[in-house]
Amino acid sequence: MSKFQPAAYSPFHILLHWIIAALILFQLIFGESIEGLKDALRDGSTPDTATAFMGNAHIWVGIAILALTVIRLLVRTVSGVPAPLPSSKPQELAAKGAHILLYLLMIGAPVTGLLAWYGGIHTAEEVHEVAKPLFIILIALHVLGALYHQLALKDGSLTRMVTSRARG
């Protein structure tokens, strides 16, 4: 990790955060569409245009999430991130654990999906299917934590991922 600790997240880091968040939301909403494509291909039939488009979109959006997450981790390593806001030890551990699990999912879900789709690895498919409920739980905790910090503690935590201006 970088020894440099900036006062605020960079605009690029913030942009990556929100693009990845939007792509994950897309996957959570439309991700089941891959099943229609898989079924059509398994049955030897030609999928309709919408099924083919949405199934392929699931694959390409997953690849984009993987690539952007790797870039985001590189940005964190090279540029550093702001220090966490002061909080209790349990809150710090919960936040750190949730972030680590989110990063693992942002890498693991696309990798297992690719292994399942292109490698035909059934175990990878089973692991991939667990990603959706885990993402939903972790995103809910992440959002609730951000709202708690912003609204109850009023420490500006949420603002840090909206603007690159350092708090004064």
PDB file of all heavy atoms in Angstrom, residues 64-91:
ATOM      1  N   ALA A  64     -15.997  -5.919 -17.090  1.00  0.00           N
ATOM      2  CA  ALA A  64     -15.727  -4.501 -16.790  1.00  0.00           C
ATOM      3  C   ALA A  64     -15.554  -4.288 -15.288  1.00  0.00           C
ATOM      4  O   ALA A  64     -14.652  -3.555 -14.856  1.00  0.00           O
ATOM      5  CB  ALA A  64     -16.855  -3.620 -17.336  1.00  0.00           C
ATOM      6  N   ILE A  65     -16.399  -4.928 -14.484  1.00  0.00           N
ATOM      7  CA  ILE A  65     -16.277  -4.811 -13.023  1.00  0.00           C
ATOM      8  C   ILE A  65     -14.914  -5.340 -12.578  1.00  0.00           C
ATOM      9  O   ILE A  65     -14.227  -4.700 -11.771  1.00  0.00           O
ATOM     10  CB  ILE A  65     -17.421  -5.561 -12.303  1.00  0.00           C
ATOM     11  CG1 ILE A  65     -18.748  -4.832 -12.519  1.00  0.00           C
ATOM     12  CG2 ILE A  65     -17.125  -5.713 -10.802  1.00  0.00           C
ATOM     13  CD1 ILE A  65     -19.979  -5.629 -12.101  1.00  0.00           C
ATOM     14  N   LEU A  66     -14.513  -6.470 -13.111  1.00  0.00           N
ATOM     15  CA  LEU A  66     -13.218  -7.045 -12.757  1.00  0.00           C
ATOM     16  C   LEU A  66     -12.079  -6.093 -13.135  1.00  0.00           C
ATOM     17  O   LEU A  66     -11.204  -5.791 -12.305  1.00  0.00           O
ATOM     18  CB  LEU A  66     -13.037  -8.402 -13.441  1.00  0.00           C
ATOM     19  CG  LEU A  66     -11.701  -9.110 -13.225  1.00  0.00           C
ATOM     20  CD1 LEU A  66     -11.447  -9.388 -11.754  1.00  0.00           C
ATOM     21  CD2 LEU A  66     -11.663 -10.404 -14.040  1.00  0.00           C
ATOM     22  N   ALA A  67     -12.086  -5.613 -14.365  1.00  0.00           N
ATOM     23  CA  ALA A  67     -11.011  -4.726 -14.831  1.00  0.00           C
ATOM     24  C   ALA A  67     -10.973  -3.422 -14.025  1.00  0.00           C
ATOM     25  O   ALA A  67      -9.899  -2.978 -13.596  1.00  0.00           O
ATOM     26  CB  ALA A  67     -11.196  -4.424 -16.322  1.00  0.00           C
ATOM     27  N   LEU A  68     -12.133  -2.820 -13.805  1.00  0.00           N
ATOM     28  CA  LEU A  68     -12.182  -1.554 -13.062  1.00  0.00           C
ATOM     29  C   LEU A  68     -11.799  -1.745 -11.597  1.00  0.00           C
ATOM     30  O   LEU A  68     -11.198  -0.859 -10.982  1.00  0.00           O
ATOM     31  CB  LEU A  68     -13.560  -0.912 -13.187  1.00  0.00           C
ATOM     32  CG  LEU A  68     -13.911  -0.413 -14.594  1.00  0.00           C
ATOM     33  CD1 LEU A  68     -15.374   0.024 -14.650  1.00  0.00           C
ATOM     34  CD2 LEU A  68     -12.987   0.721 -15.021  1.00  0.00           C
ATOM     35  N   THR A  69     -12.118  -2.899 -11.036  1.00  0.00           N
ATOM     36  CA  THR A  69     -11.726  -3.177  -9.658  1.00  0.00           C
ATOM     37  C   THR A  69     -10.214  -3.315  -9.548  1.00  0.00           C
ATOM     38  O   THR A  69      -9.601  -2.792  -8.606  1.00  0.00           O
ATOM     39  CB  THR A  69     -12.428  -4.442  -9.123  1.00  0.00           C
ATOM     40  OG1 THR A  69     -13.838  -4.229  -9.165  1.00  0.00           O
ATOM     41  CG2 THR A  69     -11.999  -4.758  -7.695  1.00  0.00           C
ATOM     42  N   VAL A  70      -9.603  -3.986 -10.505  1.00  0.00           N
ATOM     43  CA  VAL A  70      -8.136  -4.091 -10.514  1.00  0.00           C
ATOM     44  C   VAL A  70      -7.522  -2.701 -10.639  1.00  0.00           C
ATOM     45  O   VAL A  70      -6.582  -2.358  -9.905  1.00  0.00           O
ATOM     46  CB  VAL A  70      -7.654  -5.033 -11.637  1.00  0.00           C
ATOM     47  CG1 VAL A  70      -6.149  -4.950 -11.820  1.00  0.00           C
ATOM     48  CG2 VAL A  70      -8.082  -6.467 -11.346  1.00  0.00           C
ATOM     49  N   ILE A  71      -8.066  -1.875 -11.515  1.00  0.00           N
ATOM     50  CA  ILE A  71      -7.574  -0.491 -11.657  1.00  0.00           C
ATOM     51  C   ILE A  71      -7.762   0.261 -10.349  1.00  0.00           C
ATOM     52  O   ILE A  71      -6.867   0.976  -9.894  1.00  0.00           O
ATOM     53  CB  ILE A  71      -8.290   0.219 -12.832  1.00  0.00           C
ATOM     54  CG1 ILE A  71      -7.858  -0.401 -14.154  1.00  0.00           C
ATOM     55  CG2 ILE A  71      -8.014   1.722 -12.805  1.00  0.00           C
ATOM     56  CD1 ILE A  71      -8.693   0.019 -15.352  1.00  0.00           C
ATOM     57  N   ARG A  72      -8.915   0.085  -9.722  1.00  0.00           N
ATOM     58  CA  ARG A  72      -9.178   0.786  -8.450  1.00  0.00           C
ATOM     59  C   ARG A  72      -8.189   0.361  -7.373  1.00  0.00           C
ATOM     60  O   ARG A  72      -7.704   1.192  -6.605  1.00  0.00           O
ATOM     61  CB  ARG A  72     -10.619   0.520  -8.002  1.00  0.00           C
ATOM     62  CG  ARG A  72     -10.988   1.316  -6.772  1.00  0.00           C
ATOM     63  CD  ARG A  72     -12.464   1.243  -6.497  1.00  0.00           C
ATOM     64  NE  ARG A  72     -12.726   1.894  -5.213  1.00  0.00           N
ATOM     65  CZ  ARG A  72     -13.836   1.801  -4.552  1.00  0.00           C
ATOM     66  NH1 ARG A  72     -14.830   1.100  -5.057  1.00  0.00           N
ATOM     67  NH2 ARG A  72     -13.998   2.399  -3.405  1.00  0.00           N
ATOM     68  N   LEU A  73      -7.881  -0.919  -7.303  1.00  0.00           N
ATOM     69  CA  LEU A  73      -6.897  -1.391  -6.332  1.00  0.00           C
ATOM     70  C   LEU A  73      -5.507  -0.830  -6.632  1.00  0.00           C
ATOM     71  O   LEU A  73      -4.761  -0.479  -5.706  1.00  0.00           O
ATOM     72  CB  LEU A  73      -6.874  -2.919  -6.287  1.00  0.00           C
ATOM     73  CG  LEU A  73      -8.093  -3.558  -5.621  1.00  0.00           C
ATOM     74  CD1 LEU A  73      -8.116  -5.062  -5.869  1.00  0.00           C
ATOM     75  CD2 LEU A  73      -8.128  -3.249  -4.133  1.00  0.00           C
ATOM     76  N   LEU A  74      -5.165  -0.713  -7.913  1.00  0.00           N
ATOM     77  CA  LEU A  74      -3.891  -0.099  -8.285  1.00  0.00           C
ATOM     78  C   LEU A  74      -3.855   1.373  -7.888  1.00  0.00           C
ATOM     79  O   LEU A  74      -2.845   1.862  -7.375  1.00  0.00           O
ATOM     80  CB  LEU A  74      -3.639  -0.255  -9.786  1.00  0.00           C
ATOM     81  CG  LEU A  74      -3.310  -1.665 -10.260  1.00  0.00           C
ATOM     82  CD1 LEU A  74      -3.281  -1.737 -11.786  1.00  0.00           C
ATOM     83  CD2 LEU A  74      -1.991  -2.147  -9.677  1.00  0.00           C
ATOM     84  N   VAL A  75      -4.962   2.087  -8.102  1.00  0.00           N
ATOM     85  CA  VAL A  75      -5.046   3.498  -7.714  1.00  0.00           C
ATOM     86  C   VAL A  75      -4.874   3.632  -6.204  1.00  0.00           C
ATOM     87  O   VAL A  75      -4.144   4.509  -5.723  1.00  0.00           O
ATOM     88  CB  VAL A  75      -6.389   4.128  -8.175  1.00  0.00           C
ATOM     89  CG1 VAL A  75      -6.627   5.498  -7.557  1.00  0.00           C
ATOM     90  CG2 VAL A  75      -6.426   4.221  -9.692  1.00  0.00           C
ATOM     91  N   ARG A  76      -5.518   2.751  -5.444  1.00  0.00           N
ATOM     92  CA  ARG A  76      -5.374   2.754  -3.973  1.00  0.00           C
ATOM     93  C   ARG A  76      -3.916   2.539  -3.573  1.00  0.00           C
ATOM     94  O   ARG A  76      -3.399   3.176  -2.659  1.00  0.00           O
ATOM     95  CB  ARG A  76      -6.219   1.658  -3.328  1.00  0.00           C
ATOM     96  CG  ARG A  76      -7.690   1.903  -3.282  1.00  0.00           C
ATOM     97  CD  ARG A  76      -8.423   0.717  -2.639  1.00  0.00           C
ATOM     98  NE  ARG A  76      -8.049   0.541  -1.255  1.00  0.00           N
ATOM     99  CZ  ARG A  76      -8.717   1.046  -0.211  1.00  0.00           C
ATOM    100  NH1 ARG A  76      -9.818   1.737  -0.425  1.00  0.00           N
ATOM    101  NH2 ARG A  76      -8.303   0.838   1.016  1.00  0.00           N
ATOM    102  N   THR A  77      -3.263   1.601  -4.259  1.00  0.00           N
ATOM    103  CA  THR A  77      -1.885   1.258  -3.927  1.00  0.00           C
ATOM    104  C   THR A  77      -0.926   2.405  -4.259  1.00  0.00           C
ATOM    105  O   THR A  77      -0.059   2.748  -3.465  1.00  0.00           O
ATOM    106  CB  THR A  77      -1.453  -0.023  -4.677  1.00  0.00           C
ATOM    107  OG1 THR A  77      -2.342  -1.075  -4.311  1.00  0.00           O
ATOM    108  CG2 THR A  77      -0.036  -0.415  -4.331  1.00  0.00           C
ATOM    109  N   VAL A  78      -1.106   3.000  -5.425  1.00  0.00           N
ATOM    110  CA  VAL A  78      -0.202   4.053  -5.878  1.00  0.00           C
ATOM    111  C   VAL A  78      -0.498   5.390  -5.196  1.00  0.00           C
ATOM    112  O   VAL A  78       0.413   6.077  -4.739  1.00  0.00           O
ATOM    113  CB  VAL A  78      -0.286   4.204  -7.419  1.00  0.00           C
ATOM    114  CG1 VAL A  78       0.481   5.414  -7.897  1.00  0.00           C
ATOM    115  CG2 VAL A  78       0.216   2.940  -8.094  1.00  0.00           C
ATOM    116  N   SER A  79      -1.760   5.765  -5.122  1.00  0.00           N
ATOM    117  CA  SER A  79      -2.144   7.094  -4.633  1.00  0.00           C
ATOM    118  C   SER A  79      -2.509   7.135  -3.159  1.00  0.00           C
ATOM    119  O   SER A  79      -2.622   8.208  -2.593  1.00  0.00           O
ATOM    120  CB  SER A  79      -3.333   7.620  -5.437  1.00  0.00           C
ATOM    121  OG  SER A  79      -3.010   7.662  -6.797  1.00  0.00           O
ATOM    122  N   GLY A  80      -2.751   5.982  -2.562  1.00  0.00           N
ATOM    123  CA  GLY A  80      -3.189   5.961  -1.178  1.00  0.00           C
ATOM    124  C   GLY A  80      -4.650   6.354  -1.054  1.00  0.00           C
ATOM    125  O   GLY A  80      -5.302   6.723  -2.036  1.00  0.00           O
ATOM    126  N   VAL A  81      -5.169   6.251   0.149  1.00  0.00           N
ATOM    127  CA  VAL A  81      -6.544   6.657   0.448  1.00  0.00           C
ATOM    128  C   VAL A  81      -6.527   7.466   1.729  1.00  0.00           C
ATOM    129  O   VAL A  81      -5.618   7.318   2.552  1.00  0.00           O
ATOM    130  CB  VAL A  81      -7.489   5.435   0.584  1.00  0.00           C
ATOM    131  CG1 VAL A  81      -7.645   4.714  -0.741  1.00  0.00           C
ATOM    132  CG2 VAL A  81      -7.027   4.481   1.655  1.00  0.00           C
ATOM    133  N   PRO A  82      -7.525   8.300   1.921  1.00  0.00           N
ATOM    134  CA  PRO A  82      -7.583   9.073   3.160  1.00  0.00           C
ATOM    135  C   PRO A  82      -7.695   8.159   4.377  1.00  0.00           C
ATOM    136  O   PRO A  82      -8.195   7.039   4.290  1.00  0.00           O
ATOM    137  CB  PRO A  82      -8.852   9.915   3.009  1.00  0.00           C
ATOM    138  CG  PRO A  82      -9.247   9.816   1.592  1.00  0.00           C
ATOM    139  CD  PRO A  82      -8.638   8.581   1.034  1.00  0.00           C
ATOM    140  N   ALA A  83      -7.235   8.653   5.488  1.00  0.00           N
ATOM    141  CA  ALA A  83      -7.345   7.909   6.739  1.00  0.00           C
ATOM    142  C   ALA A  83      -8.816   7.714   7.070  1.00  0.00           C
ATOM    143  O   ALA A  83      -9.653   8.567   6.771  1.00  0.00           O
ATOM    144  CB  ALA A  83      -6.652   8.669   7.863  1.00  0.00           C
ATOM    145  N   PRO A  84      -9.155   6.592   7.698  1.00  0.00           N
ATOM    146  CA  PRO A  84     -10.545   6.408   8.129  1.00  0.00           C
ATOM    147  C   PRO A  84     -10.920   7.479   9.149  1.00  0.00           C
ATOM    148  O   PRO A  84     -10.067   7.962   9.889  1.00  0.00           O
ATOM    149  CB  PRO A  84     -10.555   5.025   8.778  1.00  0.00           C
ATOM    150  CG  PRO A  84      -9.226   4.417   8.534  1.00  0.00           C
ATOM    151  CD  PRO A  84      -8.300   5.482   8.065  1.00  0.00           C
ATOM    152  N   LEU A  85     -12.192   7.827   9.153  1.00  0.00           N
ATOM    153  CA  LEU A  85     -12.661   8.787  10.147  1.00  0.00           C
ATOM    154  C   LEU A  85     -12.663   8.113  11.513  1.00  0.00           C
ATOM    155  O   LEU A  85     -12.874   6.897  11.601  1.00  0.00           O
ATOM    156  CB  LEU A  85     -14.056   9.284   9.781  1.00  0.00           C
ATOM    157  CG  LEU A  85     -14.123  10.105   8.493  1.00  0.00           C
ATOM    158  CD1 LEU A  85     -15.570  10.400   8.126  1.00  0.00           C
ATOM    159  CD2 LEU A  85     -13.327  11.382   8.615  1.00  0.00           C
ATOM    160  N   PRO A  86     -12.443   8.863  12.554  1.00  0.00           N
ATOM    161  CA  PRO A  86     -12.418   8.266  13.891  1.00  0.00           C
ATOM    162  C   PRO A  86     -13.748   7.576  14.215  1.00  0.00           C
ATOM    163  O   PRO A  86     -14.814   8.117  13.958  1.00  0.00           O
ATOM    164  CB  PRO A  86     -12.194   9.465  14.817  1.00  0.00           C
ATOM    165  CG  PRO A  86     -11.676  10.560  13.951  1.00  0.00           C
ATOM    166  CD  PRO A  86     -12.203  10.298  12.575  1.00  0.00           C
ATOM    167  N   SER A  87     -13.631   6.363  14.733  1.00  0.00           N
ATOM    168  CA  SER A  87     -14.820   5.619  15.160  1.00  0.00           C
ATOM    169  C   SER A  87     -14.367   4.570  16.163  1.00  0.00           C
ATOM    170  O   SER A  87     -13.178   4.406  16.424  1.00  0.00           O
ATOM    171  CB  SER A  87     -15.536   4.985  13.968  1.00  0.00           C
ATOM    172  OG  SER A  87     -14.701   4.066  13.319  1.00  0.00           O
ATOM    173  N   SER A  88     -15.329   3.850  16.699  1.00  0.00           N
ATOM    174  CA  SER A  88     -14.999   2.818  17.684  1.00  0.00           C
ATOM    175  C   SER A  88     -14.269   1.668  17.003  1.00  0.00           C
ATOM    176  O   SER A  88     -14.375   1.469  15.790  1.00  0.00           O
ATOM    177  CB  SER A  88     -16.275   2.310  18.355  1.00  0.00           C
ATOM    178  OG  SER A  88     -17.038   1.552  17.434  1.00  0.00           O
ATOM    179  N   LYS A  89     -13.545   0.895  17.793  1.00  0.00           N
ATOM    180  CA  LYS A  89     -12.802  -0.247  17.260  1.00  0.00           C
ATOM    181  C   LYS A  89     -13.723  -1.246  16.556  1.00  0.00           C
ATOM    182  O   LYS A  89     -13.404  -1.693  15.447  1.00  0.00           O
ATOM    183  CB  LYS A  89     -12.012  -0.917  18.399  1.00  0.00           C
ATOM    184  CG  LYS A  89     -10.957  -1.850  17.907  1.00  0.00           C
ATOM    185  CD  LYS A  89      -9.870  -1.075  17.191  1.00  0.00           C
ATOM    186  CE  LYS A  89      -8.682  -1.972  16.909  1.00  0.00           C
ATOM    187  NZ  LYS A  89      -7.693  -1.339  16.068  1.00  0.00           N
ATOM    188  N   PRO A  90     -14.892  -1.590  17.141  1.00  0.00           N
ATOM    189  CA  PRO A  90     -15.792  -2.512  16.420  1.00  0.00           C
ATOM    190  C   PRO A  90     -16.267  -1.947  15.081  1.00  0.00           C
ATOM    191  O   PRO A  90     -16.373  -2.687  14.100  1.00  0.00           O
ATOM    192  CB  PRO A  90     -16.969  -2.701  17.381  1.00  0.00           C
ATOM    193  CG  PRO A  90     -16.420  -2.399  18.736  1.00  0.00           C
ATOM    194  CD  PRO A  90     -15.370  -1.342  18.508  1.00  0.00           C
ATOM    195  N   GLN A  91     -16.541  -0.636  15.030  1.00  0.00           N
ATOM    196  CA  GLN A  91     -16.964  -0.027  13.772  1.00  0.00           C
ATOM    197  C   GLN A  91     -15.827  -0.060  12.749  1.00  0.00           C
ATOM    198  O   GLN A  91     -16.061  -0.326  11.575  1.00  0.00           O
ATOM    199  CB  GLN A  91     -17.412   1.417  13.986  1.00  0.00           C
ATOM    200  CG  GLN A  91     -18.765   1.550  14.626  1.00  0.00           C
ATOM    201  CD  GLN A  91     -19.134   3.002  14.891  1.00  0.00           C
ATOM    202  OE1 GLN A  91     -18.268   3.856  15.106  1.00  0.00           O
ATOM    203  NE2 GLN A  91     -20.418   3.287  14.881  1.00  0.00           N
TER     204      GLN A  91
END
